[in-house]
Amino acid sequence: MAGSTRSADHRRASWEAALSGMLGAVIFALKMAMAQLPNIEPVSLAVMLLAVCAGRRGLYAVYIYVLLEIAVWGPGLWSVPYLYIWLVLFAAARALRNMESVLGWAALSGCFGLLFGALCAPVYWAVGGWQHALSWWLGGIPMDLLHGAGNFTLALALFRPVKRSFTVLLDRFKR
C-alpha cells in the first residue's frame, strides 16, 4: 500500500513539474507574441491568475517564465528586479485571492504596471545611486503609463474568462 502511495506522489510531482514548465513557457510565448505592442503584456494577468488559482505552487511557473526571459535575453541588470518584482504581484494577488470584483483585479494589475519602474528602481539605486535610480525611473514613466493601461485593459477583459478556463485545467489536473 505504501508503495502505491509513493508512486502516486511521484507521479503527481512529475505532473506538477510538467504543468509548471508548460505554464511558464506559455506565459513567455504569449509575451513574445505581444512583443510588438509597447509594454502591453499578459504576464501580469498570468501571475495574478496563478496566485489565485494555483496557490504557492503557481510560483514555479512564474519562475520558469523568469528563467526563460533570462535564458533568451541574457542576464543583465534588468534581470535582478525580475527575481523579486513578480513575487510582489504574486503576493498581492494571493492576499486578495477572494476578491470578486473584476474591476479590482484590473486596478491591481494597472497599478502594478504603473509602479513597475518604481519597483525596479532599487536595483538601479544600488548600482548607481539615487540620481541614477531617479533618472532611470522618470525616463521610463511613459512606458509605465502604457504598461499600466495595458495591464488594466487586459485584466478587465480577460480575468474572469481566463480564470474559468484555468480553474477547469487545474481541476482536470487534480484527477
Side-chain angles (χ1 to χ4, degrees), residues 39-114:
N39 263 15
I40 299 172
E41 45 75 16
V43 180
S44 301
L45 175 63
V47 169
M48 291 187 318
L49 287 166
L50 284 166
V52 171
C53 299
R56 287 181 289 181
R57 292 175 306 167
L59 276 175
Y60 295 124
V62 172
Y63 281 98
I64 295 287
Y65 158 74
V66 170
L67 289 174
L68 287 171
E69 284 279 342
I70 294 169
V72 168
W73 304 114
L77 196 54
W78 68 270
S79 57
V80 176
Y82 264 51
L83 297 175
Y84 67 83
I85 201 162
W86 300 111
L87 183 59
V88 170
L89 179 60
F90 189 93
R94 190 78 186 126
L96 298 169
R97 67 184 171 270
N98 295 321
M99 179 169 54
E100 295 292 327
S101 170
V102 172
L103 191 57
W105 288 110
L108 174 62
S109 192
C111 287
F112 179 76
L114 289 173

Side-chain angles (χ1 to χ4, degrees), residues 14-28 57 60-65 68:
S14 296
W15 276 104
E16 284 184 10
L19 182 62
S20 293
M22 286 188 293
L23 289 172
V26 165
I27 295 167
F28 181 77
R57 292 175 306 167
Y60 295 124
V62 172
Y63 281 98
I64 295 287
Y65 158 74
L68 287 171

